[in-house]
Amino acid sequence: MYEKNRLHPITIIYRMIKHFKELVFPFIGLILVGGRPSEWGILTFILISVFLIGFILTCILSWYYFTFYLAEGELRIEYGVFVKKQRYIPFERIQSIDYTEGLLHRPFHLVKVKIETAGSSEEAEAELTAIRKSEAENLKAFITNSLRGFSKEEKDVSIQEEEIIYRITNRQLMVLAATSGGIGVIISAVFAFISQFEDFIPYGMIFSHIRQFVHNGVVLIAMIVFLVFLILWICSLLITILKFANFTLSKSEKDIIITRGLFEKKQLTIPLERIQAIKISESIIRQPFNLASLNIISAGGSIVDIEASTVLTIPIAKKKELGKICERIVPDYEIDKSITPLPTRALWLYMLRNSWFAIPIAFLLIYYFHGWGLLSLALFILLPFWGYLKFRSAGYYLSNKQLTLCARQVDKSTIIMMKNRIQALSCTEGPWQRKSQLGSVHGHVASGSGVAATVVKDMSIEDVQKIYNWYSLK
Amino acid sequence: MVWRFTGIISSLITLSFLSALVIILSIILEWYPWLISLACLMILVYAYLVIVLLPKLRWRRWRYEVREDEVEIQQGVIIVKKTLIPMIRVQHVDMKQGPFLRKYNLATIVISTAATTHEIPALEMSEAEEIRQFISNKVKVAEEDV
């Protein structure tokens, strides 16, 4: 372990693929601007080949100069082709060591090792792109052993006791995939993709086609829209299945360990002491079936790694089961408590706040489209109803040590915060709220290196005062 | 007073932008005179709000209290916001001073927790220094928790 190690040579290919991905769009752009490759001059070809060779060379060199070794209770990484960089990470600073097995790693029994540290700056953590699995195990064992104060000679790989708490069943996986909101993500991805080529798409032509199309009948359009949505939905279904297959949650003495993924196996470790709050979210599709998911907001991770700050811990479970599982992971948090609802006088505020912006929209639509614009009047039924739903979901629960806040945007989320993890608490009071003696409570907890804020609007002023006094040390 | 200065500076930019917009629009679109005068009037009202009225109200509403083990801040003209920050959550305290504040010997205190930052703007220099010292001493005593 003391000699300098290199990563597995597969890193070169891995890095090349990664950089190629970033280059694809500029390259396509180049082709579109510069014409077909067959029309290029000799000079362009030479330039591109030089560029490619240089690119491959950099990948090889950066692999060659990347070494890591263990010495004096530190993990030392040295890298950089022209500018040499050294990063020494003391074992005590290491929060977690996680493995990821990608498609490229599998055939060679390799893993990607990610080492997270307590510091939250952008570059605090280290990543070993590809090392042999046994090597990774050794590394981990060595670090944990030396942290526990074992003699360094001791070779025994003592595996920490891990208790499996939750494993996703096939049925749950299917339900999860079917109800996942991934459609939105895919749509936005498609838009992002299109926006890359915006200059090259002949919108004028497309629109004239569409105009013809509209004449051909509304039914056909409706069918196509439906079909597109169906395809998107199936895509999101597949993605979710790939991502969450074999989802397992286990708990050791100090950490929560999550492994998931079908092709790319990912492992994630959350130290228990870094948990800042837990969040139960019930998406609007799953709520009628009493299904919910659990997220853990932790202070780990860096700025770049958002995934590590809010971790989906239990993707889907019946609400009752969720409480039981939760008790085993984080026994301090009280889950199933009756939520104090908002006073009825808050309802009209919720409805108004939700629907006032429909007025200019409806006005404009009716002004421009006359007959069809009247459809926008439906907003005046839908939006207040949504407001009513928000009102129904909101509430709080307060105990000696914990504050639970419930609110809904589209999905209902319940955030449970311990008093000693709340970084700051504020309450606000607007002029309308003052008239009907209401107020809002904002709770802030640390999440990653940022902040997770929750707000419940329009609680009765006595309740706001109660929570405020509860938090105050006066 | 300084509040008004910051108000003037920040609004001057918006104001000049707005007036430029009005001039350009009136030339291009050949606006009627009454429309132009209406626009000018609106700009004047806006200037009054930003330079005279809002800073005054803001200043009147700003309250802060540094207690033994927590800081409480109140702010807001229309929406009143009260914030509690326990001393043990404070990670560090900054004091900052722009050119205007320096001229009037004032300073702004910025309190950061692991998640949020809070400002107490435009304090007397001596007072700001005192608060900074007080909080940082408190923080030293407080236990490491997050």
Side-chain angles (χ1 to χ4, degrees):
Chain A
M1 275 294 149
Y2 289 97
E3 72 271 25
K4 294 192 177 187
N5 289 303
R6 286 216 177 82
L7 301 174
H8 194 272
I10 202 87
T11 314
I12 302 170
I13 297 169
Y14 186 88
R15 207 159 274 169
M16 264 154 57
I17 293 175
K18 200 177 145 199
H19 287 302
F20 260 124
K21 260 191 220 159
E22 290 159 16
L23 281 178
V24 161
F25 281 121
F27 196 68
I28 292 175
L30 197 71
I31 289 176
L32 287 169
V33 174
R36 267 180 234 144
S38 56
E39 292 163 6
W40 287 355
I42 265 288
L43 197 71
T44 331
F45 271 113
I46 292 174
L47 263 176
I48 287 181
S49 345
V50 167
F51 178 71
L52 275 181
I53 290 170
F55 171 72
I56 292 170
L57 218 64
T58 348
C59 286
I60 295 174
L61 282 177
S62 75
W63 164 75
Y64 183 79
Y65 285 112
F66 189 106
T67 54
F68 68 95
Y69 59 102
L70 302 168
E72 292 167 31
E74 287 177 332
L75 170 70
R76 299 186 169 176
I77 298 173
E78 294 171 7
Y79 61 102
V81 181
F82 297 113
V83 184
K84 303 276 178 205
K85 290 181 193 167
Q86 293 172 323
R87 182 178 296 166
Y88 293 176
I89 304 171
F91 290 164
E92 300 90 54
R93 288 268 161 259
I94 294 176
Q95 286 285 338
S96 62
I97 303 174
D98 290 323
Y99 307 144
T100 313
E101 273 178 74
L103 267 182
L104 259 177
H105 294 101
R106 284 276 179 97
F108 304 100
H109 297 285
L110 300 171
V111 285
K112 177 162 108 184
V113 181
K114 206 163 157 196
I115 292 156
E116 249 178 55
T117 55
S120 52
S121 67
E122 209 167 314
E123 293 228 1
E125 56 185 53
E127 204 176 78
L128 306 175
T129 320
I131 61 175
R132 224 167 286 122
K133 213 173 188 174
S134 52
E135 218 175 331
E137 293 289 349
N138 272 337
L139 194 79
K140 191 171 183 176
F142 187 88
I143 290 174
T144 42
N145 279 349
S146 72
L147 268 187
R148 285 179 180 177
F150 287 156
S151 68
K152 278 164 193 163
E153 307 308 316
E154 202 163 349
K155 272 276 176 183
D156 280 337
V157 181
S158 69
I159 299 160
Q160 280 185 319
E161 279 172 53
E162 285 171 14
E163 173 196 14
I164 291 175
I165 291 182
Y166 170 86
R167 178 172 280 148
I168 199 162
T169 59
N170 283 338
R171 206 175 136 245
Q172 277 175 328
L173 185 62
M174 284 315 290
V175 175
L176 175 75
T179 56
S180 77
I183 290 178
V185 179
I186 291 174
I187 289 177
S188 54
V190 167
F191 270 110
F193 188 76
I194 290 173
S195 68
Q196 291 267 352
F197 296 101
E198 212 160 19
D199 301 339
F200 310 113
I201 296 175
Y203 278 115
M205 254 166 67
I206 292 178
F207 277 124
S208 68
H209 276 296
I210 288 178
R211 206 167 299 142
Q212 274 180 6
F213 212 68
V214 173
H215 286 295
N216 287 345
V218 180
V219 183
L220 198 66
I221 293 177
M223 293 242 315
I224 286 175
V225 168
F226 175 74
L227 215 69
V228 167
F229 269 100
L230 192 73
I231 292 169
L232 286 180
W233 180 72
I234 290 172
C235 283
S236 88
L237 190 99
L238 289 177
I239 290 174
T240 321
I241 288 180
L242 286 185
K243 210 170 154 192
F244 286 101
N246 300 324
F247 188 100
T248 320
L249 173 77
S250 45
K251 184 186 172 184
S252 74
E253 194 188 338
K254 277 178 175 167
D255 304 299
I256 293 171
I257 299 143
I258 293 166
T259 48
R260 64 171 170 81
L262 197 60
F263 292 134
E264 193 185 54
K265 261 196 197 166
K266 263 196 171 177
Q267 190 194 37
L268 208 68
T269 315
I270 313 162
L272 281 175
E273 55 178 25
R274 289 182 80 77
I275 295 176
Q276 300 291 314
I278 62 177
K279 177 172 148 192
I280 298 167
S281 42
E282 294 161 70
S283 89
I284 201 154
I285 315 171
R286 289 175 198 156
Q287 206 179 6
F289 306 105
N290 256 331
L291 293 166
S293 58
L294 181 83
N295 291 277
I296 284 183
I297 299 173
S298 87
S302 56
I303 298 169
V304 263
D305 198 12
I306 308 162
E307 203 186 344
S309 57
T310 308
V311 182
L312 189 57
T313 322
I314 302 171
I316 196 164
K318 286 268 176 204
K319 236 184 143 183
K320 270 183 194 162
E321 282 174 54
L322 199 74
K324 279 179 203 156
I325 301 168
C326 220
E327 228 159 72
R328 291 176 62 191
I329 317 173
V330 275
D332 293 346
Y333 291 78
E334 299 169 85
I335 308 294
D336 295 315
K337 288 291 169 190
S338 58
I339 299 293
T340 317
L342 300 182
T344 339
R345 61 180 186 275
L347 177 58
W348 69 274
L349 261 179
Y350 264 85
M351 282 160 110
L352 265 186
R353 190 180 290 136
N354 223 3
S355 28
W356 65 266
F357 62 85
I359 296 170
I361 293 176
F363 183 74
L364 281 177
L365 285 177
I366 292 173
Y367 184 79
Y368 281 112
F369 296 105
H370 303 290
W372 283 101
L374 286 173
L375 272 181
S376 62
L377 289 180
L379 282 180
F380 287 105
I381 300 166
L382 283 175
L383 288 175
F385 181 66
W386 184 18
Y388 171 72
L389 285 182
K390 279 184 181 172
F391 165 77
R392 274 284 303 275
S393 312
Y396 79 99
Y397 164 77
L398 191 69
S399 81
N400 206 7
K401 275 171 71 182
Q402 130 186 2
L403 170 67
T404 307
L405 293 178
C406 284
R408 173 197 291 281
Q409 279 308 314
V410 180
D411 301 340
K412 180 182 174 184
S413 57
T414 307
I415 296 200
I416 305 171
M417 299 175 275
M418 284 294 167
K419 189 175 181 178
N420 60 351
R421 295 293 191 192
I422 301 176
Q423 300 291 337
L425 189 91
S426 20
C427 60
T428 55
E429 197 189 39
W432 296 102
Q433 289 179 323
R434 200 167 307 130
K435 251 177 216 164
S436 34
Q437 300 212 309
L438 299 165
S440 313
V441 168
H442 307 246
H444 305 270
V445 292
S447 141
S449 44
V451 53
T454 9
V455 51
V456 177
K457 285 175 177 160
D458 305 337
M459 290 189 213
S460 82
I461 202 78
E462 296 93 59
D463 289 346
V464 173
Q465 208 56 50
K466 202 168 104 191
I467 294 172
Y468 200 71
N469 288 339
W470 165 81
Y471 190 61
S472 169
L473 297 160
K474 194 162 50 172
Chain B
M1 207 35 209
V2 179
W3 289 73
R4 193 164 297 167
F5 273 115
T6 24
I8 290 170
I9 289 298
S10 62
S11 56
L12 268 186
I13 301 164
T14 355
L15 274 178
S16 50
F17 179 74
L18 279 179
S19 4
L21 195 78
V22 168
I23 291 167
I24 291 170
L25 275 181
S26 50
I27 291 170
I28 294 177
L29 296 180
E30 292 173 4
W31 270 7
Y32 307 106
W34 66 266
L35 208 56
I36 296 173
S37 48
L38 188 74
C40 288
L41 195 74
M42 274 167 77
I43 288 177
L44 277 180
V45 169
Y46 174 77
Y48 171 74
L49 274 179
V50 176
I51 297 175
V52 182
L53 198 64
L54 272 178
K56 208 169 165 184
L57 286 175
R58 275 235 292 277
W59 176 75
R60 202 177 284 167
R61 275 285 157 73
W62 259 99
R63 292 273 193 295
Y64 69 92
E65 194 178 344
V66 182
R67 279 183 228 123
E68 193 61 12
D69 35 21
E70 68 187 358
V71 182
E72 188 169 7
I73 300 172
Q74 186 183 12
Q75 70 196 88
V77 176
I78 296 165
I79 295 173
V80 181
K81 183 175 181 182
K82 284 200 290 181
T83 309
L84 270 179
I85 313 140
M87 285 294 180
I88 45 168
R89 299 278 160 263
V90 176
Q91 298 226 317
H92 59 264
V93 196
D94 296 329
M95 202 169 84
K96 66 176 184 186
Q97 217 179 15
F100 280 111
L101 290 183
R102 198 173 308 137
K103 192 167 176 234
Y104 289 89
N105 225 1
L106 300 170
T108 295
I109 291 270
V110 184
I111 303 169
S112 314
T113 67
T116 52
T117 55
H118 309 271
E119 273 193 14
I120 310 178
L123 294 166
E124 292 281 349
M125 243 334 234
S126 56
E127 204 181 348
E129 186 61 35
E130 201 178 305
I131 290 173
R132 194 176 64 97
Q133 284 298 337
F134 183 78
I135 295 178
S136 69
N137 281 338
K138 280 283 163 207
V139 172
K140 254 177 237 159
V141 179
E143 48 173 355
E144 276 271 299
D145 206 18
V146 167

